[in-house]
Structures are given as structure tokens and as C-alpha cells.
mmCIF file of all heavy atoms in Angstrom:
data_model
loop_
_atom_site.group_PDB
_atom_site.id
_atom_site.type_symbol
_atom_site.label_atom_id
_atom_site.label_comp_id
_atom_site.label_asym_id
_atom_site.label_seq_id
_atom_site.Cartn_x
_atom_site.Cartn_y
_atom_site.Cartn_z
ATOM 1 N N GLN A 277 270.443 -21.240 92.759
ATOM 2 C CA GLN A 277 269.595 -21.848 93.784
ATOM 3 C C GLN A 277 268.112 -21.693 93.419
ATOM 4 O O GLN A 277 267.333 -22.633 93.562
ATOM 5 C CB GLN A 277 269.861 -21.214 95.154
ATOM 6 C CG GLN A 277 268.999 -21.783 96.258
ATOM 7 C CD GLN A 277 269.303 -21.153 97.613
ATOM 8 O OE1 GLN A 277 270.316 -20.490 97.800
ATOM 9 N NE2 GLN A 277 268.408 -21.352 98.551
ATOM 10 N N ASP A 278 267.730 -20.520 92.931
ATOM 11 C CA ASP A 278 266.344 -20.294 92.514
ATOM 12 C C ASP A 278 265.973 -21.210 91.349
ATOM 13 O O ASP A 278 264.868 -21.749 91.299
ATOM 14 C CB ASP A 278 266.131 -18.841 92.094
ATOM 15 C CG ASP A 278 266.346 -17.859 93.230
ATOM 16 O OD1 ASP A 278 266.087 -18.234 94.399
ATOM 17 O OD2 ASP A 278 266.778 -16.731 92.957
ATOM 18 N N PHE A 279 266.898 -21.364 90.425
ATOM 19 C CA PHE A 279 266.667 -22.246 89.286
ATOM 20 C C PHE A 279 266.357 -23.664 89.761
ATOM 21 O O PHE A 279 265.375 -24.277 89.335
ATOM 22 C CB PHE A 279 267.898 -22.240 88.366
ATOM 23 C CG PHE A 279 267.839 -23.292 87.309
ATOM 24 C CD1 PHE A 279 267.085 -23.102 86.164
ATOM 25 C CD2 PHE A 279 268.534 -24.484 87.460
ATOM 26 C CE1 PHE A 279 267.019 -24.081 85.184
ATOM 27 C CE2 PHE A 279 268.481 -25.465 86.488
ATOM 28 C CZ PHE A 279 267.717 -25.256 85.345
ATOM 29 N N TRP A 280 267.195 -24.191 90.646
ATOM 30 C CA TRP A 280 266.980 -25.568 91.114
ATOM 31 C C TRP A 280 265.703 -25.698 91.946
ATOM 32 O O TRP A 280 265.025 -26.738 91.897
ATOM 33 C CB TRP A 280 268.200 -26.076 91.878
ATOM 34 C CG TRP A 280 269.292 -26.466 90.932
ATOM 35 C CD1 TRP A 280 270.498 -25.861 90.775
ATOM 36 C CD2 TRP A 280 269.247 -27.519 89.966
ATOM 37 N NE1 TRP A 280 271.205 -26.479 89.778
ATOM 38 C CE2 TRP A 280 270.464 -27.499 89.261
ATOM 39 C CE3 TRP A 280 268.299 -28.483 89.618
ATOM 40 C CZ2 TRP A 280 270.754 -28.402 88.249
ATOM 41 C CZ3 TRP A 280 268.594 -29.382 88.605
ATOM 42 C CH2 TRP A 280 269.810 -29.340 87.932
ATOM 43 N N GLU A 281 265.341 -24.664 92.675
ATOM 44 C CA GLU A 281 264.071 -24.698 93.408
ATOM 45 C C GLU A 281 262.903 -24.798 92.429
ATOM 46 O O GLU A 281 261.960 -25.557 92.650
ATOM 47 C CB GLU A 281 263.933 -23.460 94.290
ATOM 48 C CG GLU A 281 264.824 -23.492 95.507
ATOM 49 C CD GLU A 281 264.792 -22.206 96.319
ATOM 50 O OE1 GLU A 281 263.988 -21.301 96.009
ATOM 51 O OE2 GLU A 281 265.595 -22.103 97.268
ATOM 52 N N ARG A 282 262.967 -24.043 91.337
ATOM 53 C CA ARG A 282 261.914 -24.112 90.326
ATOM 54 C C ARG A 282 261.893 -25.473 89.642
ATOM 55 O O ARG A 282 260.819 -26.023 89.363
ATOM 56 C CB ARG A 282 262.105 -23.021 89.281
ATOM 57 C CG ARG A 282 261.831 -21.644 89.810
ATOM 58 C CD ARG A 282 262.033 -20.597 88.755
ATOM 59 N NE ARG A 282 261.865 -19.269 89.304
ATOM 60 C CZ ARG A 282 261.705 -18.191 88.583
ATOM 61 N NH1 ARG A 282 261.696 -18.262 87.269
ATOM 62 N NH2 ARG A 282 261.555 -17.019 89.158
ATOM 63 N N MET A 283 263.076 -26.002 89.349
ATOM 64 C CA MET A 283 263.146 -27.327 88.720
ATOM 65 C C MET A 283 262.518 -28.383 89.622
ATOM 66 O O MET A 283 261.726 -29.213 89.166
ATOM 67 C CB MET A 283 264.601 -27.697 88.424
ATOM 68 C CG MET A 283 265.228 -26.964 87.266
ATOM 69 S SD MET A 283 264.580 -27.471 85.652
ATOM 70 C CE MET A 283 265.317 -29.098 85.489
ATOM 71 N N ARG A 284 262.836 -28.351 90.900
ATOM 72 C CA ARG A 284 262.292 -29.357 91.832
ATOM 73 C C ARG A 284 260.804 -29.154 92.064
ATOM 74 O O ARG A 284 260.063 -30.124 92.209
ATOM 75 C CB ARG A 284 263.086 -29.326 93.125
ATOM 76 C CG ARG A 284 264.478 -29.897 92.913
ATOM 77 C CD ARG A 284 265.284 -30.087 94.178
ATOM 78 N NE ARG A 284 266.582 -30.631 93.833
ATOM 79 C CZ ARG A 284 267.677 -29.899 93.629
ATOM 80 N NH1 ARG A 284 267.636 -28.588 93.763
ATOM 81 N NH2 ARG A 284 268.817 -30.473 93.315
ATOM 82 N N ALA A 285 260.356 -27.903 92.043
ATOM 83 C CA ALA A 285 258.922 -27.646 92.186
ATOM 84 C C ALA A 285 258.161 -28.199 90.978
ATOM 85 O O ALA A 285 257.051 -28.712 91.119
ATOM 86 C CB ALA A 285 258.662 -26.153 92.345
ATOM 87 N N GLU A 286 258.750 -28.088 89.806
ATOM 88 C CA GLU A 286 258.086 -28.532 88.582
ATOM 89 C C GLU A 286 258.205 -30.035 88.347
ATOM 90 O O GLU A 286 257.250 -30.682 87.950
ATOM 91 C CB GLU A 286 258.672 -27.790 87.372
ATOM 92 C CG GLU A 286 257.967 -28.070 86.074
ATOM 93 C CD GLU A 286 256.503 -27.654 86.085
ATOM 94 O OE1 GLU A 286 256.148 -26.634 86.703
ATOM 95 O OE2 GLU A 286 255.688 -28.382 85.463
ATOM 96 N N PHE A 287 259.371 -30.604 88.603
ATOM 97 C CA PHE A 287 259.632 -31.996 88.249
ATOM 98 C C PHE A 287 259.776 -32.938 89.431
ATOM 99 O O PHE A 287 259.912 -34.152 89.243
ATOM 100 C CB PHE A 287 260.899 -32.094 87.382
ATOM 101 C CG PHE A 287 260.801 -31.338 86.098
ATOM 102 C CD1 PHE A 287 261.436 -30.119 85.943
ATOM 103 C CD2 PHE A 287 260.056 -31.832 85.033
ATOM 104 C CE1 PHE A 287 261.347 -29.408 84.756
ATOM 105 C CE2 PHE A 287 259.956 -31.127 83.846
ATOM 106 C CZ PHE A 287 260.601 -29.912 83.704
ATOM 107 N N GLY A 288 259.758 -32.397 90.636
ATOM 108 C CA GLY A 288 259.889 -33.238 91.820
ATOM 109 C C GLY A 288 261.180 -34.045 91.791
ATOM 110 O O GLY A 288 262.233 -33.534 91.392
ATOM 111 N N PRO A 289 261.103 -35.321 92.175
ATOM 112 C CA PRO A 289 262.308 -36.144 92.229
ATOM 113 C C PRO A 289 262.932 -36.424 90.859
ATOM 114 O O PRO A 289 264.043 -36.945 90.784
ATOM 115 C CB PRO A 289 261.837 -37.434 92.891
ATOM 116 C CG PRO A 289 260.363 -37.467 92.702
ATOM 117 C CD PRO A 289 259.915 -36.041 92.606
ATOM 118 N N LEU A 290 262.240 -36.073 89.790
ATOM 119 C CA LEU A 290 262.777 -36.296 88.441
ATOM 120 C C LEU A 290 263.573 -35.104 87.916
ATOM 121 O O LEU A 290 264.072 -35.135 86.787
ATOM 122 C CB LEU A 290 261.646 -36.621 87.475
ATOM 123 C CG LEU A 290 260.841 -37.884 87.786
ATOM 124 C CD1 LEU A 290 259.709 -38.052 86.794
ATOM 125 C CD2 LEU A 290 261.740 -39.100 87.797
ATOM 126 N N ALA A 291 263.709 -34.056 88.714
ATOM 127 C CA ALA A 291 264.391 -32.837 88.262
ATOM 128 C C ALA A 291 265.825 -33.114 87.817
ATOM 129 O O ALA A 291 266.245 -32.655 86.755
ATOM 130 C CB ALA A 291 264.375 -31.780 89.359
ATOM 131 N N ASP A 292 266.567 -33.878 88.596
ATOM 132 C CA ASP A 292 267.962 -34.157 88.241
ATOM 133 C C ASP A 292 268.050 -34.988 86.970
ATOM 134 O O ASP A 292 268.899 -34.735 86.120
ATOM 135 C CB ASP A 292 268.680 -34.861 89.389
ATOM 136 C CG ASP A 292 268.864 -33.958 90.600
ATOM 137 O OD1 ASP A 292 268.896 -32.720 90.431
ATOM 138 O OD2 ASP A 292 268.970 -34.494 91.714
ATOM 139 N N SER A 293 267.170 -35.960 86.845
ATOM 140 C CA SER A 293 267.161 -36.795 85.645
ATOM 141 C C SER A 293 266.809 -35.969 84.420
ATOM 142 O O SER A 293 267.452 -36.094 83.367
ATOM 143 C CB SER A 293 266.161 -37.939 85.820
ATOM 144 O OG SER A 293 266.087 -38.706 84.653
ATOM 145 N N PHE A 294 265.798 -35.126 84.532
ATOM 146 C CA PHE A 294 265.419 -34.255 83.416
ATOM 147 C C PHE A 294 266.601 -33.368 83.029
ATOM 148 O O PHE A 294 266.931 -33.240 81.850
ATOM 149 C CB PHE A 294 264.208 -33.396 83.792
ATOM 150 C CG PHE A 294 263.775 -32.462 82.701
ATOM 151 C CD1 PHE A 294 262.852 -32.865 81.757
ATOM 152 C CD2 PHE A 294 264.312 -31.181 82.610
ATOM 153 C CE1 PHE A 294 262.464 -32.000 80.729
ATOM 154 C CE2 PHE A 294 263.931 -30.311 81.600
ATOM 155 C CZ PHE A 294 263.006 -30.722 80.656
ATOM 156 N N ALA A 295 267.237 -32.768 84.014
ATOM 157 C CA ALA A 295 268.349 -31.851 83.758
ATOM 158 C C ALA A 295 269.521 -32.558 83.079
ATOM 159 O O ALA A 295 270.221 -31.979 82.258
ATOM 160 C CB ALA A 295 268.813 -31.214 85.063
ATOM 161 N N ARG A 296 269.701 -33.797 83.391
ATOM 162 C CA ARG A 296 270.815 -34.563 82.850
ATOM 163 C C ARG A 296 270.511 -35.165 81.482
ATOM 164 O O ARG A 296 271.378 -35.212 80.612
ATOM 165 C CB ARG A 296 271.173 -35.668 83.847
ATOM 166 C CG ARG A 296 272.416 -36.431 83.554
ATOM 167 C CD ARG A 296 272.716 -37.480 84.622
ATOM 168 N NE ARG A 296 271.583 -38.351 84.895
ATOM 169 C CZ ARG A 296 270.857 -38.345 86.023
ATOM 170 N NH1 ARG A 296 271.140 -37.507 86.985
ATOM 171 N NH2 ARG A 296 269.846 -39.173 86.185
ATOM 172 N N ASP A 297 269.261 -35.609 81.266
ATOM 173 C CA ASP A 297 268.952 -36.441 80.109
ATOM 174 C C ASP A 297 268.142 -35.788 78.998
ATOM 175 O O ASP A 297 268.184 -36.258 77.868
ATOM 176 C CB ASP A 297 268.198 -37.695 80.572
ATOM 177 C CG ASP A 297 268.998 -38.531 81.552
ATOM 178 O OD1 ASP A 297 270.242 -38.523 81.451
ATOM 179 O OD2 ASP A 297 268.392 -39.188 82.418
ATOM 180 N N HIS A 298 267.397 -34.748 79.304
ATOM 181 C CA HIS A 298 266.501 -34.155 78.298
ATOM 182 C C HIS A 298 267.243 -33.076 77.507
ATOM 183 O O HIS A 298 267.710 -32.095 78.072
ATOM 184 C CB HIS A 298 265.262 -33.571 78.979
ATOM 185 C CG HIS A 298 264.219 -33.118 78.023
ATOM 186 N ND1 HIS A 298 263.436 -33.993 77.318
ATOM 187 C CD2 HIS A 298 263.851 -31.875 77.642
ATOM 188 C CE1 HIS A 298 262.603 -33.303 76.541
ATOM 189 N NE2 HIS A 298 262.844 -32.015 76.717
ATOM 190 N N VAL A 299 267.345 -33.281 76.209
ATOM 191 C CA VAL A 299 268.045 -32.355 75.321
ATOM 192 C C VAL A 299 267.021 -31.420 74.689
ATOM 193 O O VAL A 299 265.952 -31.862 74.259
ATOM 194 C CB VAL A 299 268.818 -33.142 74.243
ATOM 195 C CG1 VAL A 299 269.413 -32.223 73.205
ATOM 196 C CG2 VAL A 299 269.893 -34.002 74.897
ATOM 197 N N MET A 300 267.349 -30.126 74.638
ATOM 198 C CA MET A 300 266.419 -29.135 74.097
ATOM 199 C C MET A 300 267.073 -28.327 72.981
ATOM 200 O O MET A 300 268.222 -27.897 73.104
ATOM 201 C CB MET A 300 265.957 -28.198 75.217
ATOM 202 C CG MET A 300 265.068 -28.887 76.233
ATOM 203 S SD MET A 300 264.695 -27.841 77.637
ATOM 204 C CE MET A 300 266.085 -28.218 78.688
ATOM 205 N N SER A 301 266.314 -28.102 71.936
ATOM 206 C CA SER A 301 266.847 -27.339 70.800
ATOM 207 C C SER A 301 267.146 -25.894 71.200
ATOM 208 O O SER A 301 268.106 -25.303 70.699
ATOM 209 C CB SER A 301 265.885 -27.387 69.612
ATOM 210 O OG SER A 301 264.629 -26.830 69.967
ATOM 211 N N ASP A 302 266.345 -25.318 72.099
ATOM 212 C CA ASP A 302 266.591 -23.937 72.532
ATOM 213 C C ASP A 302 267.888 -23.795 73.333
ATOM 214 O O ASP A 302 268.345 -22.678 73.583
ATOM 215 C CB ASP A 302 265.424 -23.394 73.346
ATOM 216 C CG ASP A 302 264.249 -22.978 72.480
ATOM 217 O OD1 ASP A 302 264.357 -23.074 71.240
ATOM 218 O OD2 ASP A 302 263.230 -22.552 73.031
ATOM 219 N N LEU A 303 268.453 -24.911 73.725
ATOM 220 C CA LEU A 303 269.750 -24.896 74.403
ATOM 221 C C LEU A 303 270.855 -25.383 73.467
ATOM 222 O O LEU A 303 271.921 -25.820 73.912
ATOM 223 C CB LEU A 303 269.716 -25.753 75.676
ATOM 224 C CG LEU A 303 268.817 -25.256 76.800
ATOM 225 C CD1 LEU A 303 268.821 -26.231 77.966
ATOM 226 C CD2 LEU A 303 269.238 -23.862 77.255
ATOM 227 N N GLY A 304 270.573 -25.336 72.176
ATOM 228 C CA GLY A 304 271.576 -25.741 71.196
ATOM 229 C C GLY A 304 271.820 -27.238 71.169
ATOM 230 O O GLY A 304 272.935 -27.672 70.923
ATOM 231 N N GLY A 305 270.758 -28.000 71.449
ATOM 232 C CA GLY A 305 270.902 -29.452 71.458
ATOM 233 C C GLY A 305 271.616 -29.973 72.695
ATOM 234 O O GLY A 305 272.215 -31.040 72.667
ATOM 235 N N ARG A 306 271.525 -29.211 73.764
ATOM 236 C CA ARG A 306 272.172 -29.599 75.025
ATOM 237 C C ARG A 306 271.127 -29.872 76.088
ATOM 238 O O ARG A 306 270.003 -29.401 76.017
ATOM 239 C CB ARG A 306 273.091 -28.482 75.531
ATOM 240 C CG ARG A 306 274.278 -28.216 74.652
ATOM 241 C CD ARG A 306 275.095 -27.074 75.169
ATOM 242 N NE ARG A 306 274.406 -25.821 74.890
ATOM 243 C CZ ARG A 306 274.984 -24.636 74.923
ATOM 244 N NH1 ARG A 306 276.252 -24.522 75.247
ATOM 245 N NH2 ARG A 306 274.302 -23.557 74.648
ATOM 246 N N SER A 307 271.543 -30.582 77.102
ATOM 247 C CA SER A 307 270.721 -30.756 78.299
ATOM 248 C C SER A 307 270.947 -29.555 79.214
ATOM 249 O O SER A 307 271.857 -28.742 78.995
ATOM 250 C CB SER A 307 271.126 -32.042 79.026
ATOM 251 O OG SER A 307 272.427 -31.905 79.575
ATOM 252 N N VAL A 308 270.140 -29.470 80.249
ATOM 253 C CA VAL A 308 270.321 -28.416 81.251
ATOM 254 C C VAL A 308 271.722 -28.489 81.840
ATOM 255 O O VAL A 308 272.418 -27.474 81.951
ATOM 256 C CB VAL A 308 269.251 -28.539 82.364
ATOM 257 C CG1 VAL A 308 269.606 -27.691 83.579
ATOM 258 C CG2 VAL A 308 267.871 -28.175 81.834
ATOM 259 N N MET A 309 272.149 -29.671 82.207
ATOM 260 C CA MET A 309 273.466 -29.825 82.823
ATOM 261 C C MET A 309 274.583 -29.402 81.873
ATOM 262 O O MET A 309 275.548 -28.756 82.295
ATOM 263 C CB MET A 309 273.679 -31.262 83.305
ATOM 264 C CG MET A 309 272.723 -31.677 84.413
ATOM 265 S SD MET A 309 272.789 -30.625 85.883
ATOM 266 C CE MET A 309 274.288 -31.216 86.620
ATOM 267 N N GLU A 310 274.465 -29.762 80.612
ATOM 268 C CA GLU A 310 275.468 -29.356 79.632
ATOM 269 C C GLU A 310 275.479 -27.844 79.450
ATOM 270 O O GLU A 310 276.545 -27.223 79.362
ATOM 271 C CB GLU A 310 275.215 -30.053 78.297
ATOM 272 C CG GLU A 310 275.485 -31.545 78.343
ATOM 273 C CD GLU A 310 274.970 -32.281 77.125
ATOM 274 O OE1 GLU A 310 273.932 -31.862 76.543
ATOM 275 O OE2 GLU A 310 275.590 -33.289 76.759
ATOM 276 N N ALA A 311 274.287 -27.248 79.411
ATOM 277 C CA ALA A 311 274.198 -25.795 79.265
ATOM 278 C C ALA A 311 274.797 -25.088 80.478
ATOM 279 O O ALA A 311 275.512 -24.093 80.331
ATOM 280 C CB ALA A 311 272.743 -25.376 79.055
ATOM 281 N N LEU A 312 274.531 -25.593 81.672
ATOM 282 C CA LEU A 312 275.143 -25.021 82.872
ATOM 283 C C LEU A 312 276.663 -25.139 82.808
ATOM 284 O O LEU A 312 277.378 -24.172 83.089
ATOM 285 C CB LEU A 312 274.621 -25.725 84.134
ATOM 286 C CG LEU A 312 273.194 -25.400 84.543
ATOM 287 C CD1 LEU A 312 272.731 -26.351 85.639
ATOM 288 C CD2 LEU A 312 273.070 -23.957 85.004
ATOM 289 N N ARG A 313 277.140 -26.299 82.406
ATOM 290 C CA ARG A 313 278.582 -26.522 82.287
ATOM 291 C C ARG A 313 279.220 -25.548 81.296
ATOM 292 O O ARG A 313 280.330 -25.068 81.504
ATOM 293 C CB ARG A 313 278.843 -27.958 81.848
ATOM 294 C CG ARG A 313 280.322 -28.291 81.659
ATOM 295 C CD ARG A 313 280.548 -29.512 80.816
ATOM 296 N NE ARG A 313 280.076 -29.230 79.466
ATOM 297 C CZ ARG A 313 279.583 -30.144 78.646
ATOM 298 N NH1 ARG A 313 279.479 -31.394 79.012
ATOM 299 N NH2 ARG A 313 279.166 -29.807 77.439
ATOM 300 N N ASP A 314 278.469 -25.253 80.233
ATOM 301 C CA ASP A 314 278.982 -24.376 79.180
ATOM 302 C C ASP A 314 278.806 -22.895 79.493
ATOM 303 O O ASP A 314 279.146 -22.037 78.681
ATOM 304 C CB ASP A 314 278.309 -24.707 77.851
ATOM 305 C CG ASP A 314 278.714 -26.075 77.318
ATOM 306 O OD1 ASP A 314 279.696 -26.658 77.823
ATOM 307 O OD2 ASP A 314 278.037 -26.570 76.398
ATOM 308 N N GLY A 315 278.255 -22.577 80.668
ATOM 309 C CA GLY A 315 278.163 -21.192 81.103
ATOM 310 C C GLY A 315 276.940 -20.432 80.623
ATOM 311 O O GLY A 315 276.910 -19.203 80.702
ATOM 312 N N VAL A 316 275.922 -21.142 80.137
ATOM 313 C CA VAL A 316 274.687 -20.469 79.724
ATOM 314 C C VAL A 316 274.004 -19.910 80.965
ATOM 315 O O VAL A 316 273.960 -20.556 82.019
ATOM 316 C CB VAL A 316 273.749 -21.461 78.984
ATOM 317 C CG1 VAL A 316 272.433 -20.805 78.623
ATOM 318 C CG2 VAL A 316 274.436 -22.021 77.743
ATOM 319 N N ASP A 317 273.510 -18.695 80.867
ATOM 320 C CA ASP A 317 272.840 -18.036 81.992
ATOM 321 C C ASP A 317 271.637 -18.868 82.439
ATOM 322 O O ASP A 317 270.849 -19.319 81.608
ATOM 323 C CB ASP A 317 272.393 -16.640 81.554
ATOM 324 C CG ASP A 317 271.877 -15.817 82.708
ATOM 325 O OD1 ASP A 317 270.763 -16.113 83.191
ATOM 326 O OD2 ASP A 317 272.578 -14.883 83.117
ATOM 327 N N VAL A 318 271.479 -19.040 83.751
ATOM 328 C CA VAL A 318 270.384 -19.866 84.268
ATOM 329 C C VAL A 318 269.014 -19.301 83.888
ATOM 330 O O VAL A 318 268.060 -20.061 83.725
ATOM 331 C CB VAL A 318 270.482 -20.108 85.789
ATOM 332 C CG1 VAL A 318 271.654 -20.975 86.125
ATOM 333 C CG2 VAL A 318 270.514 -18.821 86.563
ATOM 334 N N LYS A 319 268.917 -18.003 83.740
ATOM 335 C CA LYS A 319 267.658 -17.396 83.305
ATOM 336 C C LYS A 319 267.284 -17.896 81.910
ATOM 337 O O LYS A 319 266.123 -18.220 81.651
ATOM 338 C CB LYS A 319 267.796 -15.870 83.307
ATOM 339 C CG LYS A 319 266.561 -15.127 82.913
ATOM 340 C CD LYS A 319 266.817 -13.622 82.977
ATOM 341 C CE LYS A 319 265.641 -12.857 82.404
ATOM 342 N NZ LYS A 319 265.922 -11.417 82.365
ATOM 343 N N ASP A 320 268.262 -17.985 81.035
ATOM 344 C CA ASP A 320 268.016 -18.494 79.688
ATOM 345 C C ASP A 320 267.696 -19.984 79.701
ATOM 346 O O ASP A 320 266.861 -20.462 78.928
ATOM 347 C CB ASP A 320 269.219 -18.226 78.784
ATOM 348 C CG ASP A 320 269.468 -16.741 78.584
ATOM 349 O OD1 ASP A 320 268.493 -15.945 78.650
ATOM 350 O OD2 ASP A 320 270.637 -16.360 78.376
#
């Protein structure tokens, strides 16, 4: 819940789109949603 509050504070209405579509190398080439699905700690 804290993670999503921070995401919405930072990205506003684009938070869900960013989480779904933006791939990051620090997440192993995954999006936020993929990393969450794969069990990566939300802090990471």
C-alpha cells in the first residue's frame, strides 16, 4: 500500500501505466508489475 501511495504521488494518474509499461534494468529487464508478480520485494 505504501509503495502504491508513493507511485501515485510521483506519477499521478500515470502510475499504473508506468508500472505496467516501463521496463527497468535494475529489475532485470522487467516492469514494476512483472517484478511484483515475480515476488520481488516492494522496497527493492
Side-chain angles (χ1 to χ4, degrees):
Q277 179 179 345
D278 297 329
F279 170 80
W280 282 113
E281 287 174 6
R282 290 180 184 195
M283 286 289 288
R284 289 188 180 94
E286 186 61 36
F287 299 103
L290 299 177
D292 292 335
S293 177
F294 179 90
R296 188 178 52 250
D297 300 329
H298 188 73
V299 173
M300 291 173 272
S301 60
D302 282 358
L303 294 177
R306 294 177 285 197
S307 68
V308 166
M309 296 302 283
E310 291 168 328
L312 287 169
R313 179 199 65 210
D314 292 346
V316 177
D317 188 287
V318 292
K319 181 179 172 184
D320 296 332

